[in-house]
Amino acid sequence: MSFKSKLKEIRDDITTTFSMAKLQRNRTNRRGRAYIAPELGGRSELLSELIEEQSPWANLPPELLQDVIKRVEGSETSWPGRRDVVACASVCTSWREITKAVVKTPEQCGCITFPISLKQPGPRDAPIQCFIKRERATSTYHLYLGLSPALSGDMSKLLLAAKKIRKATSTDFRISFVGSDFCQTSNTYAGKLRSNFLGTKFTIYDSQPPCPGLKSNCKLQQKVRSIQVSPGVPARNFNVATVSYELNVLRTRGPRRMHCIVHSIPISAIQEGGVAPTPLEFNNPGDEQSPSLSASKVKQPLIDFISTSRAESSDSICSKMDPLVLKNKAPRWHEQLQCWCLNFKGRVTVASVKNFQLVAAVEPCQNVPVEEQEKVILQFGKIGKDIFTMDYRYPLSAFQAFAICLSSFDTKPACE
């Protein structure tokens, strides 16, 4: 029997074995994104034992199992074939743990495999290429993995989705792992983007707290971790970045000017030998013991947090734990075309005020290599009606890049 036939047999066995687990999971209300096969409440141990008894693949020798999963992971480098790797992680606990150990992060392999990959930094060498489809009728935005809809077609892998919700004084973009559920209490909730009244400043909230490794090193991260957006609701919104657009008072022609402060990524991530925070699994909000703050105490630290970050940079107080600051790359004026131009390397084909490229904004004392300063970390641009490309790389994650790009869709009459 060929290896692919064996793999198909494993996948068919998974479908049969987990039918009862799926029915039980639909009745529970517990978060399940921390693992590919979510653990269940109450009867999880009994159900796990039953599944392992039913599955003939659960008792394979670890050495053989690791070799099988390595072969599967190495042979499937793109979607939809990469779903075979996810299928291996869904067999049982032993398969899941070995698969998680074998599969590398996007920074290491350049591939997106599990939902947690969307919260991990992208690759250093080449960007991950995606595209965004906007649906005006439903005010939704879908992020797909691939070059474009024309090339990917129906085989495009949905990564994230967002829904625009207008309020009296602000606009929210709720981001979800699926395209049908945007409730903040849902298991599929990933975070949100919130604008101010003028649409010139945006705050990115993550459903997961910043990486625990930053708590002892970065005072700013301690503030972010302790802030709870709504005192009566479990802490599921953590301020991880802010995006600001400069006001165009003189109404001059040209692209928007923007800068982004990523509080959850230190500047040391792009310094020589630096490493960006990389979460390895989703945290259960019930495990967080951060104290709740009253509503009057919540708003002030957020304002101080954002303003003091810029004040420190203006004073040239350099530290390895300073937040990463991104700015849009300045375009050049093309005399023949009579328009502002940027080199998107063929990934953008339609001129739009929304198009941008972000690079690192650094101070001389931060000792960032020149090649890192010139490297485009995120680029976003239009290729057709309601179709946009999004290419991101280290140290941004897919979630952070998508949230930054969503800020470009909001109306900004004061910035154009």
Side-chain angles (χ1 to χ4, degrees), residues 127 129 255 328-332 340-358 376 378-383 388-391 405:
Q129 297 177 322
N328 61 318
K329 189 174 182 180
R332 62 180 180 85
W340 296 96
C341 295
L342 281 171
N343 183 12
F344 287 94
K345 299 182 179 180
R347 289 285 288 156
V348 178
T349 57
V350 179
S352 174
V353 70
K354 296 180 175 62
N355 302 347
F356 66 81
Q357 290 180 329
L358 293 185
V376 176
L378 171 63
Q379 75 173 22
F380 170 80
K382 192 174 183 177
I383 60 173
F388 303 81
T389 59
M390 186 197 86
D391 301 342
C405 293

Short mmCIF file of all heavy atoms in Angstrom, two decimals, residues 127 129 255 328-332 340-358 376 378-383 388-391 405:
data_model
loop_
_atom_site.label_atom_id
_atom_site.label_comp_id
_atom_site.label_asym_id
_atom_site.label_seq_id
_atom_site.Cartn_x
_atom_site.Cartn_y
_atom_site.Cartn_z
N PRO A 127 8.40 37.46 2.00
CA PRO A 127 7.10 37.70 2.63
C PRO A 127 6.08 36.61 2.31
O PRO A 127 6.20 35.91 1.31
CB PRO A 127 6.67 39.05 2.02
CG PRO A 127 7.36 39.09 0.70
CD PRO A 127 8.68 38.39 0.89
N GLN A 129 2.55 35.96 0.97
CA GLN A 129 1.69 36.71 0.06
C GLN A 129 0.23 36.32 0.25
O GLN A 129 -0.13 35.14 0.18
CB GLN A 129 2.13 36.48 -1.39
CG GLN A 129 3.53 36.99 -1.66
CD GLN A 129 3.99 36.70 -3.08
OE1 GLN A 129 3.69 35.65 -3.65
NE2 GLN A 129 4.71 37.64 -3.67
N PRO A 255 -0.09 60.51 -1.26
CA PRO A 255 -0.61 59.39 -0.45
C PRO A 255 -0.74 59.78 1.02
O PRO A 255 -0.19 60.79 1.48
CB PRO A 255 0.48 58.32 -0.63
CG PRO A 255 1.73 59.10 -0.93
CD PRO A 255 1.28 60.30 -1.71
N ASN A 328 5.24 54.71 6.78
CA ASN A 328 5.05 54.39 5.37
C ASN A 328 6.23 54.90 4.54
O ASN A 328 6.75 55.99 4.77
CB ASN A 328 3.74 54.96 4.85
CG ASN A 328 3.68 56.47 4.94
OD1 ASN A 328 4.11 57.04 5.93
ND2 ASN A 328 3.15 57.10 3.90
N LYS A 329 6.65 54.09 3.61
CA LYS A 329 7.78 54.43 2.74
C LYS A 329 7.38 55.57 1.82
O LYS A 329 6.32 55.54 1.19
CB LYS A 329 8.20 53.20 1.94
CG LYS A 329 9.50 53.38 1.18
CD LYS A 329 9.90 52.06 0.52
CE LYS A 329 11.23 52.21 -0.20
NZ LYS A 329 11.64 50.93 -0.85
N ALA A 330 8.22 56.58 1.75
CA ALA A 330 7.90 57.77 0.95
C ALA A 330 7.94 57.43 -0.54
O ALA A 330 8.93 56.90 -1.03
CB ALA A 330 8.89 58.89 1.25
N PRO A 331 6.87 57.73 -1.29
CA PRO A 331 6.87 57.48 -2.74
C PRO A 331 7.63 58.57 -3.48
O PRO A 331 7.95 59.61 -2.92
CB PRO A 331 5.38 57.49 -3.09
CG PRO A 331 4.79 58.44 -2.09
CD PRO A 331 5.59 58.29 -0.82
N ARG A 332 7.89 58.31 -4.74
CA ARG A 332 8.53 59.32 -5.59
C ARG A 332 7.56 59.75 -6.69
O ARG A 332 6.71 58.99 -7.12
CB ARG A 332 9.82 58.77 -6.20
CG ARG A 332 9.62 57.56 -7.11
CD ARG A 332 10.93 57.07 -7.68
NE ARG A 332 10.74 55.91 -8.55
CZ ARG A 332 10.42 56.01 -9.85
NH1 ARG A 332 10.27 57.20 -10.41
NH2 ARG A 332 10.26 54.91 -10.58
N TRP A 340 2.25 59.63 -7.96
CA TRP A 340 3.19 59.12 -6.97
C TRP A 340 3.37 57.62 -7.18
O TRP A 340 2.41 56.89 -7.39
CB TRP A 340 2.68 59.39 -5.56
CG TRP A 340 2.58 60.85 -5.22
CD1 TRP A 340 1.48 61.65 -5.31
CD2 TRP A 340 3.64 61.69 -4.77
NE1 TRP A 340 1.78 62.92 -4.92
CE2 TRP A 340 3.11 62.98 -4.59
CE3 TRP A 340 5.00 61.49 -4.49
CZ2 TRP A 340 3.87 64.05 -4.14
CZ3 TRP A 340 5.76 62.55 -4.04
CH2 TRP A 340 5.19 63.81 -3.88
N CYS A 341 4.61 57.15 -7.12
CA CYS A 341 4.90 55.74 -7.43
C CYS A 341 5.73 55.08 -6.34
O CYS A 341 6.59 55.71 -5.71
CB CYS A 341 5.65 55.64 -8.76
SG CYS A 341 4.71 56.18 -10.19
N LEU A 342 5.43 53.80 -6.11
CA LEU A 342 6.21 52.93 -5.25
C LEU A 342 6.45 51.62 -5.98
O LEU A 342 5.62 51.19 -6.79
CB LEU A 342 5.48 52.65 -3.93
CG LEU A 342 5.51 53.72 -2.84
CD1 LEU A 342 4.55 53.36 -1.72
CD2 LEU A 342 6.92 53.89 -2.29
N ASN A 343 7.56 50.99 -5.70
CA ASN A 343 7.89 49.72 -6.35
C ASN A 343 7.28 48.57 -5.56
O ASN A 343 7.82 48.12 -4.55
CB ASN A 343 9.41 49.55 -6.45
CG ASN A 343 9.79 48.29 -7.20
OD1 ASN A 343 8.95 47.65 -7.84
ND2 ASN A 343 11.05 47.93 -7.13
N PHE A 344 6.11 48.10 -6.02
CA PHE A 344 5.44 46.98 -5.37
C PHE A 344 5.84 45.64 -6.00
O PHE A 344 5.26 44.61 -5.67
CB PHE A 344 3.92 47.15 -5.45
CG PHE A 344 3.38 48.22 -4.54
CD1 PHE A 344 3.20 49.51 -5.00
CD2 PHE A 344 3.07 47.94 -3.23
CE1 PHE A 344 2.70 50.51 -4.17
CE2 PHE A 344 2.56 48.91 -2.38
CZ PHE A 344 2.38 50.20 -2.85
N LYS A 345 6.77 45.65 -6.93
CA LYS A 345 7.28 44.44 -7.58
C LYS A 345 6.16 43.62 -8.21
O LYS A 345 6.11 42.39 -8.10
CB LYS A 345 8.07 43.59 -6.58
CG LYS A 345 9.29 44.31 -6.02
CD LYS A 345 10.07 43.44 -5.07
CE LYS A 345 11.31 44.20 -4.56
NZ LYS A 345 12.11 43.37 -3.62
N GLY A 346 5.24 44.32 -8.87
CA GLY A 346 4.17 43.66 -9.62
C GLY A 346 2.99 43.21 -8.79
O GLY A 346 2.02 42.67 -9.35
N ARG A 347 3.00 43.43 -7.49
CA ARG A 347 1.92 42.95 -6.64
C ARG A 347 0.75 43.93 -6.56
O ARG A 347 -0.32 43.59 -6.06
CB ARG A 347 2.45 42.69 -5.23
CG ARG A 347 3.35 41.47 -5.13
CD ARG A 347 2.54 40.21 -5.18
NE ARG A 347 1.79 40.01 -3.96
CZ ARG A 347 0.68 39.29 -3.86
NH1 ARG A 347 0.16 38.73 -4.94
NH2 ARG A 347 0.06 39.16 -2.70
N VAL A 348 0.93 45.16 -7.02
CA VAL A 348 -0.14 46.17 -7.02
C VAL A 348 -0.24 46.75 -8.43
O VAL A 348 0.75 47.14 -9.03
CB VAL A 348 0.16 47.29 -6.00
CG1 VAL A 348 -0.93 48.36 -6.06
CG2 VAL A 348 0.27 46.72 -4.60
N THR A 349 -1.47 46.80 -8.95
CA THR A 349 -1.66 47.21 -10.35
C THR A 349 -2.61 48.40 -10.50
O THR A 349 -2.72 48.94 -11.60
CB THR A 349 -2.22 46.03 -11.17
OG1 THR A 349 -3.44 45.57 -10.57
CG2 THR A 349 -1.22 44.89 -11.21
N VAL A 350 -3.29 48.80 -9.45
CA VAL A 350 -4.26 49.89 -9.53
C VAL A 350 -3.84 51.00 -8.56
O VAL A 350 -3.57 50.74 -7.39
CB VAL A 350 -5.69 49.41 -9.19
CG1 VAL A 350 -6.68 50.57 -9.27
CG2 VAL A 350 -6.11 48.28 -10.11
N ALA A 351 -3.78 52.23 -9.07
CA ALA A 351 -3.43 53.36 -8.21
C ALA A 351 -4.56 53.63 -7.21
O ALA A 351 -5.74 53.65 -7.57
CB ALA A 351 -3.18 54.61 -9.07
N SER A 352 -4.19 53.83 -5.96
CA SER A 352 -5.19 54.08 -4.92
C SER A 352 -4.51 54.79 -3.76
O SER A 352 -3.33 54.56 -3.47
CB SER A 352 -5.82 52.76 -4.43
OG SER A 352 -6.67 52.99 -3.32
N VAL A 353 -5.28 55.65 -3.09
CA VAL A 353 -4.76 56.34 -1.93
C VAL A 353 -4.54 55.36 -0.76
O VAL A 353 -3.81 55.67 0.19
CB VAL A 353 -5.72 57.47 -1.50
CG1 VAL A 353 -7.00 56.90 -0.92
CG2 VAL A 353 -5.07 58.43 -0.52
N LYS A 354 -5.13 54.18 -0.86
CA LYS A 354 -4.98 53.17 0.19
C LYS A 354 -3.65 52.44 0.12
O LYS A 354 -3.23 51.82 1.09
CB LYS A 354 -6.13 52.16 0.12
CG LYS A 354 -7.52 52.73 0.38
CD LYS A 354 -8.57 51.63 0.29
CE LYS A 354 -9.95 52.15 0.66
NZ LYS A 354 -10.41 53.20 -0.24
N ASN A 355 -2.98 52.44 -1.03
CA ASN A 355 -1.74 51.68 -1.20
C ASN A 355 -0.65 52.22 -0.27
O ASN A 355 -0.48 53.43 -0.13
CB ASN A 355 -1.27 51.75 -2.65
CG ASN A 355 -2.31 51.22 -3.63
OD1 ASN A 355 -3.28 50.58 -3.23
ND2 ASN A 355 -2.10 51.48 -4.90
N PHE A 356 0.10 51.31 0.33
CA PHE A 356 1.21 51.76 1.18
C PHE A 356 2.23 50.64 1.35
O PHE A 356 1.94 49.46 1.12
CB PHE A 356 0.71 52.22 2.56
CG PHE A 356 0.11 51.14 3.42
CD1 PHE A 356 0.90 50.26 4.14
CD2 PHE A 356 -1.28 51.00 3.50
CE1 PHE A 356 0.35 49.27 4.93
CE2 PHE A 356 -1.84 50.01 4.30
CZ PHE A 356 -1.02 49.15 5.01
N GLN A 357 3.41 51.04 1.77
CA GLN A 357 4.48 50.14 2.19
C GLN A 357 5.01 50.63 3.53
O GLN A 357 5.25 51.83 3.69
CB GLN A 357 5.62 50.08 1.17
CG GLN A 357 5.26 49.40 -0.13
CD GLN A 357 6.43 49.38 -1.11
OE1 GLN A 357 7.27 50.29 -1.12
NE2 GLN A 357 6.50 48.35 -1.94
N LEU A 358 5.19 49.73 4.48
CA LEU A 358 5.68 50.09 5.80
C LEU A 358 7.10 49.58 6.01
O LEU A 358 7.40 48.42 5.71
CB LEU A 358 4.77 49.53 6.90
CG LEU A 358 3.35 50.09 7.00
CD1 LEU A 358 2.64 49.50 8.21
CD2 LEU A 358 3.37 51.61 7.09
N VAL A 376 10.97 46.20 3.37
CA VAL A 376 9.52 46.44 3.48
C VAL A 376 8.91 45.32 4.33
O VAL A 376 8.90 44.16 3.94
CB VAL A 376 8.87 46.49 2.09
CG1 VAL A 376 7.35 46.63 2.21
CG2 VAL A 376 9.45 47.63 1.26
N LEU A 378 5.62 45.37 5.55
CA LEU A 378 4.22 45.15 5.16
C LEU A 378 3.90 46.03 3.96
O LEU A 378 4.23 47.21 3.96
CB LEU A 378 3.29 45.49 6.32
CG LEU A 378 1.78 45.53 6.02
CD1 LEU A 378 1.27 44.16 5.58
CD2 LEU A 378 0.99 46.02 7.23
N GLN A 379 3.30 45.44 2.94
CA GLN A 379 2.82 46.24 1.81
C GLN A 379 1.39 45.83 1.48
O GLN A 379 1.00 44.68 1.61
CB GLN A 379 3.73 46.11 0.60
CG GLN A 379 3.65 44.83 -0.18
CD GLN A 379 4.48 44.89 -1.46
OE1 GLN A 379 5.40 45.69 -1.61
NE2 GLN A 379 4.16 44.03 -2.41
N PHE A 380 0.63 46.83 1.07
CA PHE A 380 -0.81 46.64 0.83
C PHE A 380 -1.18 47.49 -0.38
O PHE A 380 -0.75 48.65 -0.51
CB PHE A 380 -1.59 47.09 2.06
CG PHE A 380 -3.07 47.17 1.88
CD1 PHE A 380 -3.86 46.03 1.94
CD2 PHE A 380 -3.69 48.39 1.65
CE1 PHE A 380 -5.23 46.11 1.77
CE2 PHE A 380 -5.06 48.47 1.50
CZ PHE A 380 -5.83 47.34 1.56
N GLY A 381 -1.96 46.91 -1.31
CA GLY A 381 -2.33 47.67 -2.49
C GLY A 381 -3.47 47.04 -3.26
O GLY A 381 -3.83 45.87 -3.05
N LYS A 382 -4.02 47.80 -4.16
CA LYS A 382 -5.21 47.40 -4.91
C LYS A 382 -4.83 46.75 -6.24
O LYS A 382 -3.92 47.21 -6.93
CB LYS A 382 -6.09 48.63 -5.18
CG LYS A 382 -7.48 48.33 -5.70
CD LYS A 382 -8.31 49.60 -5.77
CE LYS A 382 -9.74 49.32 -6.21
NZ LYS A 382 -10.58 50.54 -6.23
N ILE A 383 -5.55 45.67 -6.59
CA ILE A 383 -5.32 45.01 -7.87
C ILE A 383 -6.60 44.88 -8.68
O ILE A 383 -6.56 44.42 -9.82
CB ILE A 383 -4.69 43.61 -7.68
CG1 ILE A 383 -5.61 42.72 -6.85
CG2 ILE A 383 -3.31 43.72 -7.05
CD1 ILE A 383 -5.13 41.28 -6.76
N PHE A 388 -7.52 43.37 -2.93
CA PHE A 388 -6.28 44.00 -2.50
C PHE A 388 -5.27 42.92 -2.10
O PHE A 388 -5.65 41.85 -1.60
CB PHE A 388 -6.51 44.92 -1.29
CG PHE A 388 -7.54 46.00 -1.53
CD1 PHE A 388 -8.90 45.72 -1.42
CD2 PHE A 388 -7.15 47.29 -1.87
CE1 PHE A 388 -9.85 46.71 -1.64
CE2 PHE A 388 -8.08 48.28 -2.08
CZ PHE A 388 -9.44 47.99 -1.98
N THR A 389 -4.00 43.19 -2.35
CA THR A 389 -2.96 42.27 -1.92
C THR A 389 -2.37 42.72 -0.60
O THR A 389 -2.33 43.92 -0.29
CB THR A 389 -1.83 42.18 -2.97
OG1 THR A 389 -1.27 43.48 -3.18
CG2 THR A 389 -2.36 41.63 -4.27
N MET A 390 -1.91 41.77 0.19
CA MET A 390 -1.26 42.05 1.47
C MET A 390 -0.08 41.10 1.64
O MET A 390 -0.26 39.88 1.70
CB MET A 390 -2.24 41.87 2.64
CG MET A 390 -1.67 42.29 3.99
SD MET A 390 -2.59 41.65 5.43
CE MET A 390 -1.81 40.04 5.63
N ASP A 391 1.12 41.64 1.67
CA ASP A 391 2.34 40.85 1.85
C ASP A 391 3.00 41.29 3.15
O ASP A 391 3.29 42.48 3.33
CB ASP A 391 3.30 41.04 0.68
CG ASP A 391 2.68 40.65 -0.66
OD1 ASP A 391 1.67 39.92 -0.64
OD2 ASP A 391 3.20 41.08 -1.70
N CYS A 405 -3.86 46.81 7.86
CA CYS A 405 -4.45 47.04 6.54
C CYS A 405 -5.92 47.44 6.64
O CYS A 405 -6.41 48.24 5.82
CB CYS A 405 -4.30 45.80 5.66
SG CYS A 405 -2.61 45.41 5.20
#
